[in-house]
Amino acid sequence: MDFQAGILEDGSPMESLEKQLICPICLEMLSKPVVILPCQHNLCRKCANDVFQAANPYWQSRGSLISGGRFRCPSCRHEVLLDRHGVYGLQRNLLVENIIDIYKQECSSRPLKKGEHPMCKEHEDERINIYCVTCEVPTCSMCKVFGAHKDCEVAPLQTVFQGQKTELNNCISMLVAGNDRIQTIISQLEDSCQSTEENSEAAKRELCARFDALAALLEEKKAELLQRISQEQADKTAFIQSLICQYKEQLEKSSRLVETAIQAAEETGGAAFLMGTGTHKSMLSLPRIVEASKGGRLDKIEQGYESMDAFSVSLDHLTEAVHALDFDPAEEDEEYFDGEEEEVEE
């Protein structure tokens, strides 16, 4: 017997009860209801098995080697985990079964009231009890015999109803399974997004570490080269300072000889000048003065001695290398993306 909504008056307690006893998959009264733990929603065992089979295509029977499976409750989308027994491992809701039996007995004891069954508009006393396959509309027997559908192909109304209801249930099961697959893909994409962010942060940290190490190496090399320039500067400066001291000593000696020579030149007595018996002993100082007038033999610096051109460094090749820095091409990644595109196309 088909217990459809509308047998009782609208808004009655029995009608409210009937709505609670409808399976969300087949939209019929629950048959062998099972409890989907832990969300406590009920499904027909057959509907639950259809949803489970659609979500787990490789699970075949209770004797399968696969340990179990999972699917989502069509009412609340809660994920249900099953063992190797599949849907048969779920508990049957005996309380709901008893309520359904009582409800069916109550409904069967109530006679149908006039107007509760659809009547034909052309023949007011005829109930709609057949289905015109040609016109795809429900009709009555009189319309088939004498009316507009006498040349059409017809079928029993209940047969067409059950066929379309079965097709609808199959579509619902496929949609539920499709929703589960979509939810799985969404979860995978969310995980991929999170992994992408984590991998990006790790790549950034590694890149910063490499550049910091390179910068530290450049600083170390710069300090080394600066030290060499400073050492060369100190050596050349010390040598020049030593020459300055030597020339200053020679200048001081030469200045004293100049004074002595000037005083000797002021000597008026020839004998005293030549004999060196004068005040400044001219003949004794004359050889020293003559020797000093010829110039000293002190060291000198070569031309360009102060130049530091030898410490010029060309960084053009390093600059080009820095500009050419890039990430290494990964052929495996390219193949991976090609595979992903093929999957998306499928």
Side-chain angles (χ1 to χ4, degrees):
M1 180 178 293
D2 182 22
F3 296 91
Q4 299 180 357
I7 294 179
L8 302 177
E9 295 180 359
D10 294 340
S12 65
M14 293 295 290
E15 182 181 2
S16 299
L17 176 61
E18 179 185 0
K19 293 180 179 179
Q20 300 299 322
L21 301 178
I22 297 298
C23 173
I25 298 296
C26 64
L27 303 180
E28 293 283 351
M29 193 73 66
L30 288 167
S31 174
K32 296 181 180 180
V34 293
V35 179
I36 301 179
L37 299 176
C39 64
Q40 298 297 317
H41 288 117
N42 294 275
L43 288 178
C44 298
R45 187 166 65 182
K46 179 182 181 302
C47 295
N49 188 57
D50 292 340
V51 175
F52 175 71
Q53 292 287 350
N56 302 270
Y58 297 105
W59 197 95
Q60 297 179 356
S61 65
R62 283 177 287 179
S64 174
L65 298 177
I66 300 178
S67 60
R70 63 185 64 192
F71 71 97
R72 293 186 179 275
C73 173
S75 298
C76 64
R77 309 303 300 160
H78 185 85
E79 188 174 54
V80 181
L81 300 178
L82 301 181
D83 58 13
R84 61 186 180 87
H85 299 289
V87 174
Y88 295 94
L90 293 175
Q91 296 181 359
R92 289 181 60 177
N93 197 332
L94 299 180
L95 176 60
V96 174
E97 288 189 32
N98 294 333
I99 293 175
I100 291 174
D101 292 339
I102 296 173
Y103 175 81
K104 289 181 178 180
Q105 293 176 5
E106 177 67 21
C107 291
S108 62
S109 62
R110 291 173 175 264
L112 289 175
K113 297 180 180 180
K114 185 178 180 180
E116 290 181 349
H117 195 285
M119 308 299 289
C120 179
K121 295 181 179 180
E122 298 294 332
H123 309 90
E124 297 180 356
D125 295 333
E126 293 293 327
R127 296 169 55 183
I128 294 179
N129 57 358
I130 61 175
Y131 184 83
C132 178
V133 179
T134 305
C135 301
E136 297 183 349
V137 293
T139 184
C140 71
S141 300
M142 296 299 294
C143 289
K144 169 57 181 173
V145 177
F146 304 105
H149 302 283
K150 62 181 180 179
D151 296 328
C152 298
E153 180 184 357
V154 297
L157 183 65
Q158 192 65 20
T159 302
V160 177
F161 165 73
Q162 291 297 336
Q164 293 189 1
K165 183 63 71 69
T166 302
E167 183 180 0
L168 177 61
N169 293 337
N170 293 335
C171 292
I172 292 174
S173 300
M174 294 178 63
L175 288 174
V176 171
N179 291 340
D180 289 340
R181 288 193 293 270
I182 292 175
Q183 183 62 43
T184 301
I185 294 175
I186 291 175
S187 300
Q188 293 176 349
L189 292 175
E190 290 176 348
D191 294 341
S192 298
C193 183
Q194 182 178 358
S195 299
T196 300
E197 293 178 356
E198 294 174 355
N199 294 338
S200 298
E201 293 300 325
K204 290 178 182 179
R205 289 193 297 269
E206 181 181 359
L207 184 63
C208 291
R210 291 180 179 273
F211 270 84
D212 291 341
L214 180 60
L217 180 61
L218 289 176
E219 287 293 331
E220 181 180 354
K221 194 64 177 179
K222 182 178 72 172
E224 176 187 347
L225 296 179
L226 288 175
Q227 178 63 29
R228 289 174 59 184
I229 294 176
S230 300
Q231 184 63 42
E232 184 71 12
Q233 174 188 355
D235 294 342
K236 287 188 176 183
T237 302
F239 179 71
I240 295 174
Q241 290 293 342
S242 66
L243 290 182
I244 292 175
C245 292
Q246 294 177 19
Y247 277 97
K248 283 184 177 180
E249 291 177 0
Q250 183 177 0
L251 178 61
E252 184 178 355
K253 293 178 182 180
S254 178
S255 298
R256 288 198 299 269
L257 289 175
V258 169
E259 294 178 358
T260 302
I262 291 175
Q263 293 177 1
E266 294 177 351
E267 184 66 43
T268 56
F273 178 82
L274 294 176
M275 293 177 63
T277 56
T279 305
H280 300 284
K281 299 179 181 181
S282 303
M283 291 302 295
L284 295 177
S285 302
L286 184 59
R288 294 172 56 196
I289 295 172
V290 173
E291 183 67 22
S293 65
K294 294 179 180 180
R297 297 181 179 178
L298 298 177
D299 295 333
K300 297 180 181 180
I301 61 174
E302 299 178 356
Q303 186 177 2
Y305 179 78
E306 67 279 1
S307 175
M308 289 291 182
D309 293 341
F311 294 94
S312 177
V313 177
S314 177
L315 300 178
D316 293 340
H317 61 290
L318 290 180
T319 303
E320 294 176 359
V322 171
H323 283 300
L325 280 178
D326 201 352
F327 298 105
D328 296 333
E331 296 181 358
E332 296 181 358
D333 292 343
E334 295 178 358
E335 295 177 357
Y336 170 77
F337 284 117
D338 292 341
E340 287 292 331
E341 291 177 358
E342 293 178 358
E343 291 181 2
V344 172
E345 291 177 358
E346 292 177 358

